[in-house]
Amino acid sequence: MRHGVGGRKLGRSTSHKDAMLRNMVTSFLKYEKIETTDIKAKELRRVAEKMITLAKRGGLHARRQAAAVLREKEVVQKLFDEIGTRFADRQGGYTRIVKTGFRAGDSAPMAFIELMDKPEGKKEKKGAKAKKETKAKAAPKAKKEPKAKKEAKPKAEKSPKAPKAAKEAKPKKAAAKKPAAKKETGKEE
């Protein structure tokens, strides 16, 4: 009977699969979004949601249980300080899996797995950066117009470069003649 046996094998031994999932959940909680195959993302979701539930529970014992799975102390600290408090009101469903297509090499179905709620501070920063970039892009466009006038002068300089290219081509022909000469010397001996 298979009572209590759950999860996918993922074509690996049990120890390999466990190590892989520990690495993946550590990276996932560190970066809050990773891309992997669809099946691995579904398995990762099970482990990640258990870690977030531990973080919501808090306490020393829960922290030690999470540290037994996660590979980095900084990620455990982030999990309990930031992510656990962010999902305090949510009763489950902390992750989202978005299918992205198929991998080029083996056509494996790929997906992003990400946390549902993004920190509000990061959204504001991205919006501020986008506004700054658009302002910065508008200013250099005005500066590029005078440079376009300067580009007309280098075109006159490009004409002397053409004979240099022709000179470089001549030694290549001479190099091609030398091996032919060596073959002739080999025939005479």
Side-chain angles (χ1 to χ4, degrees):
M1 292 188 195
R2 297 186 74 242
H3 294 309
V5 179
R8 297 167 180 90
K9 293 184 179 181
L10 301 175
R12 291 163 170 78
S13 65
T14 304
S15 59
H16 184 183
K17 179 184 70 174
D18 292 343
M20 180 191 67
L21 287 174
R22 287 177 64 184
N23 286 329
M24 287 177 69
V25 75
T26 302
S27 296
F28 173 63
L29 294 173
K30 184 176 183 179
Y31 299 109
E32 300 183 8
K33 180 178 180 180
I34 61 171
E35 184 178 18
T36 183
T37 61
D38 187 36
I39 302 300
K40 286 182 191 175
K42 290 176 182 177
E43 279 300 300
L44 175 61
R45 175 176 52 193
R46 297 176 65 209
V47 180
E49 294 204 1
K50 288 178 185 176
M51 293 297 109
I52 294 172
T53 303
L54 286 174
K56 284 174 52 178
R57 191 170 70 195
L60 181 61
H61 183 59
R63 188 176 288 264
R64 286 180 176 166
Q65 285 178 315
V69 174
L70 300 175
R71 302 278 186 169
E72 298 177 16
K73 292 180 182 178
E74 297 82 21
V75 176
V76 175
Q77 185 175 356
K78 178 182 178 180
L79 174 66
F80 279 81
D81 295 344
E82 297 174 20
I83 298 173
T85 56
R86 194 186 323 164
F87 291 111
D89 297 333
R90 187 182 279 266
Q91 295 299 315
Y94 311 116
T95 60
R96 172 190 303 134
I97 296 175
V98 181
K99 296 183 181 184
T100 59
F102 298 94
R103 186 161 51 197
D106 59 355
S107 296
M110 300 297 287
F112 277 111
I113 181 168
E114 59 188 359
L115 292 177
M116 288 293 289
D117 294 334
K118 297 289 181 182
E120 294 175 7
K122 288 186 179 179
K123 287 183 181 178
E124 294 172 2
K125 289 180 182 177
K126 288 181 181 178
K129 286 182 182 178
K131 290 179 183 177
K132 288 179 182 177
E133 288 176 4
T134 55
K135 290 179 182 177
K137 288 180 181 177
K141 287 181 182 177
K143 293 179 182 178
K144 288 183 180 178
E145 291 176 12
K147 289 182 182 178
K149 293 178 183 177
K150 291 181 181 178
E151 289 177 5
K153 292 179 183 178
K155 288 181 182 177
E157 294 175 8
K158 287 184 181 179
S159 58
K161 290 181 182 177
K164 289 181 183 177
K167 290 179 184 177
E168 292 175 2
K170 289 180 182 177
K172 289 180 184 177
K173 291 179 182 176
K177 292 180 182 177
K178 288 180 183 177
K182 288 181 183 178
K183 288 180 184 177
E184 292 175 8
T185 56
K187 291 179 183 176
E188 291 175 4
E189 294 177 347

